[in-house]
Structures are given as structure tokens and as C-alpha cells.
Amino acid sequence: MRTKLFSLLLAGCLAFPVQAQQYQPSEENLKSRQEFRDAKFGIFLHWGLYAMLATGEWTMTNKNLNYKEYAKLAGGFYPSRFDAARWVASIKASGAKYICFTSRHHEGFSMFHTDYSDYNIVDATPFKRDVLKELADECHKQGIRLHLYYSHIDWYREDAVWGRTGRGTGRPNPQGDWDSYYAFMNNQLTELLTNYGPIGAIWFDGLWDQDGNPDFDWQLDGQYALIHRLQPGCLVANNHHLTPFAGEDIQIFERDLPGENTAGLSGQDVSDLPLETCQTMNGMWGYKIDDQNYKSAKELIQYLVGAAVKDGNLLLNIGPQPDGELPATAVQRLAEMGEWMKVYGETIYGTRGGCVAPHPWGGTTQKGDKLYVHILNLQDKALFLPLADRKVKKASYFVGGKPVKFQKNREGYTLLLDEVPTDIDTVIEMELD
């Protein structure tokens, strides 16, 4: 009780405006940033009560479901086939280095045991198990980093201020009680960063909900400071679709690679922070029973490579089923990606975007004096690389090591391939002087 009271007081203090200060990342934070950039590949897990409806994670607001009626789903939530060890093993087999799990999505249901709301998977369901604790323990055991998604909005709580979503869920007060809600969020963040071991990142979402009220003060300074104080190595990310704010350590792009904006959510400038693209494996984030439009292994691998050549990570989403299992097709795609990464991981992990910028044919990654040319779509046997200011010592096929002939001119080098590439990714390793 004393610990809980202290946390309430602490979060209550943070509920008052905090004067913005220049953010100075710690040495531990900078180290985490580099390790994050080295990882290159993570798996997103969108799981909550919405899985039971099997129509996606936005059903509560899309269908204007009453918040008290929606909460009754918890009484029947019993994911009997949930096995954290199997989840982590399948994800690890894909070559992914971290998992980002939805600790609390916009529906407001906490997928962990919290002292600050009875609306959580231990207290409100017959399952009575803290799935986040089990997942965290397995991540630490199997050597996978754990990141935690946390929603800034809530369609269930009465103290959450209304935004442009969740307006039809029956909550009585559009104004909410910001001080109460801000304290609640910070108390939960304190639990997440205290009770579940090292957390690689807190991944926020929902700032866009107040885009019709641009003067709304989310008081992020105090919240970010709390995270960095509790775990200095924990990175802060925010999926707000804007250029990064002070205190953030990762820049997120939703459904687009850095610098692209086909989905209309990522028109912001690309910063110098570590970059991450989140993308779905099929169409939805949460489980949707009629969404079997899974991307092929080729598409997913090429998207991963596309992120790497743009010096970014890929956070690839899976929506677990209501019974606690990962969909069979998703597990199959994980295995297929893992087989590819066993061969080509060296050209992805620990690399940075190469000195040859991305082109329609593909792009390059680089590690020291090694330049990896990733050929994804080339209809010719010759490939020109604008490397006028670099000296190439040798070039060879990454698989098999067969030398690749090349010609030099004033503008750069032309690789002379044996045949038109047809693999998912034909990789040429070049040694630069």
C-alpha cells in the first residue's frame, strides 16, 4: 500500500506542467540506440479483448460499442492455448531480435496485472494469468528484447479526455479528468518498468487523436523523463506521424519505409534518430478472422531489406488469435523469413544504410569496408553503382563467393553479373578500400 501511495503521489506531481528541458540521452541510452539499430528486425504483437470479436483492434470505436457492454468480453477471455515459450521460439526462429507487445491498446484493457485498474487480464478474466509476465520471462530466457506498446488514448476510462475516436462508446464526460488519467498512465508505466525486467522501448500511440485540438498538452516531457529515470536504457518511441519531439529516441514510420508516404501517415522528415517502420503481415493489426491476405515470404523479406537499405528497422505485426495461438500462416511466414536470415543475416544485422542510396532495383547496406548490394528487381545483367569517390578492391556473390566482374569509369562501377537476377534478393559483397 505504501509503494502504491508513493507512485500515486509521484504521478500526481507529474500531472502538473513540466518545463521543457534540453534532453540529454545517457550513455546507457545511446548504447541501447546502437543495439536497436543493429537488431534490424522485430515482431509486433497486437493482442487484446478485440481478438475475441475477430474484426480488428478498432471495432469498439468503429461499431460504437458501449464501454460497459464491451468490458463484458473480459468475462469470457480464456486463451487456453497461450504458450509464451512457443511464441518467443517461433519469433526467434524468424531472425527477429525483439518483440513489441501491446500492454494496453485503445480499448483500455490492460494485458498485464496492474494495481491501478481492475480492468486487466488477471483481475477481470477467468484466465487469471499475467501474460506479459510470462512473455517477459521467456524473452529474457531466450535472449529476445521486449518492447511495450502503450496507448495514450482510452475508449473505456471515464477520465480519459475524448478525441476524434471513441466518441460513441457511451462514456459520460467528453472533458474527462486529465490529471487523473495522466497519473493513471504514469503509474502503469512505472509498473511496466519496475515489474517486468529490462524493457527495450516504450512504444506510444494515440497522440494523433487530438489532431483537431493542436493546443492539447499531452505533457510528454514529464512522462518521457519518468521512463528515462526508471530505466535509462529504455528507448522512447511515439507513433504520432510527426517529426520526433525532444525526449524521443526512435522515429517511427507507419506502413511506409522512411522517406515514403504511400499510406498517408509518414510525410514527416527523416531524422538522425534510429528509424523503425511498422507494417502488417496481412491487412490488420489485431486478429481479423476474414483477413487471410498475407503477404508472401518474398514480399516480407524484400520489405525487411528495403528498411535496412534505408538504415531502418522493420517491426512486422502479427495479431494473435483469441485462443492464444499465433495464426498458422503467420508462423509459416516467420519460419520462411528465418530460413532466409540464416543465410543472409550478415548482410542485415549490424549494418547501416550503404553509401549507394536506394534505387528501384534495390539498395545497399554497409558494415565497415564491406558494401552489400541487395538486388531485388533488376531486368539486366549489368548494374551501375555511383561510386566515383570510392575504390573497389573486389566483388563477389555473397552466396558461394564466386567473383563478379566489374568495370570502372569516371562516374562509378558497373557490375557484370552472370545472369539476370531472379532470387528474392541477389546479394553482391563488395570490399571497398
Side-chain angles (χ1 to χ4, degrees):
M1 179 66 70
R2 183 177 300 174
T3 301
K4 181 175 178 178
L5 178 60
F6 175 76
S7 296
L8 281 167
L9 290 172
L10 172 64
C13 291
L14 288 172
F16 295 100
V18 177
Q19 184 174 0
Q21 296 179 354
Q22 185 67 32
Y23 172 53
Q24 295 292 335
S26 67
E27 288 298 320
E28 190 173 353
N29 183 279
L30 294 174
K31 180 174 181 290
S32 291
R33 292 187 188 188
Q34 294 308 308
E35 291 170 347
F36 173 79
R37 293 182 73 189
D38 289 344
K40 284 296 182 286
F41 183 28
I43 295 297
F44 216 166
L45 296 171
H46 271 73
W47 200 34
L49 293 182
Y50 44 82
M52 298 179 68
L53 300 177
T55 49
E57 74 288 348
W58 274 53
T59 300
M60 185 179 182
T61 188
N62 287 345
K63 298 294 186 181
N64 289 325
L65 302 180
N66 180 274
Y67 73 120
K68 291 182 178 179
E69 293 300 311
Y70 186 92
K72 293 176 183 178
L73 290 171
F77 189 43
Y78 195 90
S80 60
R81 301 182 70 86
F82 170 71
D83 185 335
R86 286 179 58 194
W87 275 22
V88 177
S90 294
I91 290 169
K92 187 174 182 178
S94 75
K97 298 298 185 182
Y98 60 97
I99 290 170
C100 186
F101 179 76
T102 49
S103 65
R104 186 178 66 91
H105 206 269
H106 311 324
E107 65 174 3
F109 185 73
S110 296
M111 293 293 287
F112 65 100
H113 195 206
T114 173
D115 288 339
Y116 299 98
S117 170
D118 293 334
Y119 194 44
N120 70 77
I121 193 166
V122 175
D123 295 322
T125 79
F127 196 55
K128 302 298 180 187
R129 286 162 53 186
D130 188 339
V131 296
L132 178 55
K133 182 65 167 64
E134 295 178 30
L135 182 63
D137 289 346
E138 277 300 325
C139 284
H140 301 323
K141 179 180 177 180
Q142 297 192 38
I144 295 286
R145 289 202 174 197
L146 179 62
H147 298 185
L148 297 177
Y149 171 108
Y150 191 84
S151 175
H152 265 133
I153 62 179
D154 194 308
W155 301 326
Y156 170 80
R157 288 184 64 91
E158 295 182 1
D159 59 358
V161 181
W162 289 20
R164 62 175 165 88
T165 66
R167 304 181 70 85
T169 64
R171 293 172 296 154
N173 180 14
Q175 302 304 315
D177 182 341
W178 172 250
D179 287 351
S180 170
Y181 183 61
Y182 187 67
F184 163 74
M185 289 194 294
N186 287 332
N187 282 325
Q188 284 208 320
L189 289 166
T190 299
E191 290 179 314
L192 292 171
L193 292 167
T194 303
N195 299 335
Y196 297 93
I199 301 300
I202 296 294
W203 206 100
F204 287 114
D205 192 21
L207 196 83
W208 35 260
D209 201 46
Q210 292 289 342
D211 52 14
N213 183 17
D215 294 328
F216 186 85
D217 184 6
W218 289 95
Q219 297 177 250
L220 297 177
D221 290 330
Q223 203 162 68
Y224 291 176
L226 173 67
I227 294 167
H228 289 136
R229 182 166 62 251
L230 289 170
Q231 288 198 29
C234 181
L235 305 177
V236 171
N238 198 323
N239 187 38
H240 45 46
H241 310 146
L242 302 167
T243 53
F245 303 158
E248 295 173 6
D249 307 299
I250 299 170
Q251 183 174 8
I252 298 170
F253 300 85
E254 182 175 349
R255 293 186 185 268
D256 266 304
L257 297 174
E260 300 178 5
N261 192 25
T262 60
L265 301 171
S266 300
Q268 68 270 34
D269 292 336
V270 180
S271 74
D272 293 330
L273 292 176
L275 311 176
E276 180 183 71
T277 287
C278 58
Q279 180 58 278
T280 55
M281 191 178 281
N282 46 1
M284 294 293 293
W285 300 100
Y287 179 69
K288 187 176 181 182
I289 197 168
D290 62 354
D291 180 11
Q292 297 301 312
N293 188 29
Y294 282 85
K295 300 171 181 67
S296 67
K298 177 180 178 179
E299 289 177 284
L300 296 174
I301 290 167
Q302 290 195 340
Y303 209 86
L304 171 61
V305 173
V309 303
K310 292 200 168 197
D311 204 21
N313 291 16
L314 173 61
L315 181 61
L316 182 62
N317 183 73
I318 298 172
Q321 297 169 176
D323 65 359
E325 285 202 306
L326 303 180
T329 305
V331 174
Q332 179 183 343
R333 292 292 184 273
L334 292 177
E336 291 168 327
M337 296 182 78
E339 289 302 309
W340 188 88
M341 289 294 276
K342 286 178 184 177
V343 178
Y344 294 98
E346 182 182 336
T347 72
I348 302 294
Y349 300 128
T351 64
R352 300 294 180 261
C355 56
V356 176
H359 285 72
W361 54 260
T364 61
T365 56
Q366 194 163 350
K367 191 184 301 180
D369 61 359
K370 288 186 177 180
L371 183 70
Y372 300 106
V373 183
H374 296 267
I375 304 173
L376 306 178
N377 181 28
L378 183 67
Q379 307 302 317
D380 197 348
K381 293 195 293 184
L383 176 62
F384 174 72
L385 301 173
L387 289 166
D389 59 342
R390 305 299 295 267
K391 181 179 179 181
V392 176
K393 295 175 66 175
K394 64 178 183 180
S396 59
Y397 287 95
F398 180 76
V399 173
K402 183 179 179 180
V404 175
K405 295 179 181 179
F406 55 86
Q407 295 176 343
K408 184 181 186 306
N409 61 29
R410 190 173 298 177
E411 285 76 32
Y413 292 81
T414 299
L415 298 176
L416 305 174
L417 307 174
D418 293 341
E419 57 188 11
V420 176
T422 57
D423 291 341
I424 290 176
D425 180 9
T426 298
V427 182
I428 308 300
E429 180 179 326
M430 302 180 70
E431 186 175 335
L432 306 179
D433 192 353

